[in-house]
Amino acid sequence: SREANWSSSDIEYVLNHLHIADCFPNDPDLAQIDMDVYRFLAKTVAEMWGYRLRSLFPDKNFDIWVGNMDDDPAVSVMVK
């Protein structure tokens, strides 16, 4: 990462994001699951991460967001 001139924020982003489809790597029916299911799961994961992080670190603020909602929902979190 240092060789690539990544900032600490860049590294934090890479480490703290989750593509929802990556949770089901061997599911033979993956392509048949409606995208609304992935969107729902992404929003739910973001909520869970938010609640847990606030309970563990009440003095810190976090940016938690859901992205790529059209084709590959993902959840990301970073310390503000």
Side-chain angles (χ1 to χ4, degrees):
S1 60
R2 287 185 185 177
E3 296 82 25
N5 293 322
W6 287 19
S7 70
S8 58
S9 293
D10 293 334
I11 294 168
E12 182 180 11
Y13 172 79
V14 169
L15 292 176
N16 295 337
H17 83 275
L18 171 70
H19 293 267
I20 298 301
D22 290 348
C23 295
F24 310 100
N26 298 315
D27 187 346
D29 299 320
L30 192 61
Q32 297 176 11
I33 297 173
D34 190 270
M35 190 56 62
D36 287 337
V37 173
Y38 291 107
R39 291 180 190 112
F40 172 79
L41 288 173
K43 291 175 186 176
T44 302
V45 168
E47 264 185 46
M48 291 186 321
W49 284 5
Y51 289 129
R52 186 62 177 151
L53 287 167
R54 284 189 291 278
S55 75
L56 290 174
F57 308 102
D59 297 332
K60 293 191 180 211
N61 293 312
F62 299 91
D63 280 330
I64 302 168
W65 67 97
V66 178
N68 300 327
M69 290 298 275
D70 292 334
D71 59 351
D72 184 20
V75 181
S76 301
V77 62
M78 292 180 68
V79 178
K80 287 186 183 180

